[in-house]
Each structure stands twice: as C-alpha cells, then as structure tokens.
Amino acid sequence: MKKPHAVYDVCNLAQRISLRLFADYKVEGKENVPPMGRLIIVANHQSNLDPALLGASLSRRIWFLAKDGMFSNWLVNWFLNSYGAFPLDRQSSDMRAYRWALGKLERDQALVIFPEGTRSKGSMNKAIPGVARLALKTGAPILPVGIVGTEHMGHWMRVVNPTGIIRVNVGNTFSLPSMDGRPSPAVLESLTDMIMQRVAALLPERYRGVYAITPSTKAPTLDAR
C-alpha cells in the first residue's frame, strides 16, 4: 500500500493543475519509470520549477538535493524537508548530503540529481562527476529525463503560473558497468559524460550545449535495463 505524503501529494496535485491550466504540457515515456527499487533520476536543470515539475510528472515518490541557500528559515526548512529536499553545500564535498543520498538509495527510494549543479537556462553545462560515483557505489539504475521549456521561468513562484510549451521526456533506464577498486577522476568524468549524453539525446539540439551530438560523438556503451 502506498504510504501517504501529505505535503508532497498536495503540492504535486496543485502543480499538475497549474501545468494543465497555463501551459502546453506533456510527458513522454511515463512507462519507462520503474515502479519500485532504488533509482537515480538524472535530468538537465533549467529553472527552480524543475523539481516540482518532475514530482508532478513521474509516477514515483522522488527525493532530491537542493542548494543550501534555499533553506532560509524554519518554515521553508519544514516545507522543503516535507516535500523531499535535503540541503547541499555546492561549494565543498558535502559528505552529509552524500550520506543522505546513499541512505535513500539503500532504502530503494528514487533520488533526483541535477548533475550540472546549477541551472543551465536552456543549454546544458558540464556536469559534476558525483552522480557517477553515487551510481557505482549503490549499483542503482539510472533514469535519464530531458526537460524542455522551463528556461524562461524566473522566480520560484512561477510554479503557480507555468506558461509556454513544457515537455518532460523520460528515457530508458541503464546501469553503469561494475568496477573493482576506486575509479580515477578521468573514469568518473567519462562515465558522467556518458550519463549526460543519454539526457542530451532526449532534448532538442539547441538544449544540448556541451553535450551536443556530433558525427564524432560515440554512442554511450552502457548496459540498458
């Protein structure tokens, strides 16, 4: 039986209503979301609307890391924690956030990561390798998601008035190859690039940025699940 999450469920319902009222909104590939088990959801990041958009679009209860600057007072802390967010210090190696993420995956939860680290506003930026390290550590499958149309959303209050053409494209899950020993920084960077290429493939060409697909780009060779 599904466990109720009052704040999360109410917010997602309200977000779905606002999206259908004000935006040309569609989700493609809903059937690709595994119904259970540990899962890392990887998406491009264009606006503060993105976490709420994924929560409203995916069939799984999601958890995610958010920049610590958003946790500004006790009321905001309560709301973000209830919704499923945990503060992340992006200026350092935040082991507290890393352990929290590990814990969620060890309990077979679905964790959202925006590997770019900050909003790209339309064109993908180079990703931080933490997502590859987490996937190797936990063995969790990865679900790539491409978000289109939120780059013009400015203030977070746009969650109540999302406009324009908004698309959420859900790809197929895949897994990183198992490795013995500690992977080198070069290996982590290469794996991260392969992960982000999967996300880029779900986006229009103009959104792909540093992950633009050229004739010389090799297709990712990760195991599909």
Side-chain angles (χ1 to χ4, degrees):
M1 183 176 180
K2 182 181 177 181
K3 182 179 178 180
H5 301 274
V7 172
Y8 182 81
D9 291 340
V10 169
C11 287
N12 283 345
L13 176 60
Q15 186 68 85
R16 291 188 193 102
I17 292 172
S18 68
L19 284 164
R20 299 194 184 283
L21 283 176
F22 302 115
D24 177 356
Y25 162 66
K26 291 182 181 178
V27 182
E28 300 288 344
K30 286 183 181 180
E31 67 280 3
N32 294 330
V33 182
M36 61 185 67
R38 63 185 62 180
L39 182 68
I40 298 175
I41 300 165
V42 178
N44 59 312
H45 191 22
Q46 302 183 89
S47 82
N48 290 325
L49 175 69
D50 295 339
L53 177 64
L54 291 178
S57 302
L58 304 180
S59 55
R60 291 282 297 270
R61 201 299 188 205
I62 63 172
W63 306 83
F64 60 97
L65 296 166
K67 62 181 180 180
D68 54 2
M70 295 181 63
F71 294 75
S72 55
N73 58 61
W74 71 267
L75 182 60
V76 175
N77 289 355
W78 171 82
F79 174 77
L80 290 175
N81 287 330
S82 299
Y83 187 69
F86 190 87
L88 170 68
D89 181 359
R90 297 186 302 188
Q91 306 305 315
S92 64
S93 297
D94 192 338
M95 292 306 298
R96 184 165 169 261
Y98 182 71
R99 287 192 293 269
W100 177 86
L102 279 178
K104 290 299 179 186
L105 293 173
E106 288 170 355
R107 291 191 289 276
D108 287 339
Q109 303 291 337
L111 177 71
V112 170
I113 295 180
F114 299 105
E116 293 163 280
T118 188
R119 288 166 290 168
S120 58
K121 298 185 179 179
S123 181
M124 291 177 72
N125 297 323
K126 186 73 172 176
I128 300 168
V131 62
R133 183 180 294 109
L134 192 61
L136 289 172
K137 175 73 174 179
T138 62
I142 300 168
L143 181 71
V145 178
I147 298 173
V148 175
T150 62
E151 66 273 14
H152 65 283
M153 305 291 178
H155 196 273
W156 65 267
M157 281 298 293
R158 287 297 301 277
V159 297
V160 302
N161 183 33
T163 58
I165 299 173
I166 298 177
R167 298 288 184 265
V168 178
N169 298 319
V170 184
N172 295 310
T173 57
F174 62 94
S175 295
L176 297 185
S178 59
M179 294 186 178
D180 295 326
R182 186 183 181 91
S184 68
V187 169
L188 288 174
E189 181 178 1
S190 177
L191 291 173
T192 302
D193 286 346
M194 287 193 288
I195 292 170
M196 298 307 288
Q197 287 166 9
R198 292 288 186 106
V199 175
L202 299 168
L203 298 168
E205 187 174 351
R206 69 182 185 277
Y207 282 86
R208 294 170 181 170
V210 299
Y211 297 104
I213 299 172
T214 65
S216 62
T217 302
K218 293 182 178 179
T221 56
L222 306 178
D223 294 331
R225 291 290 179 87

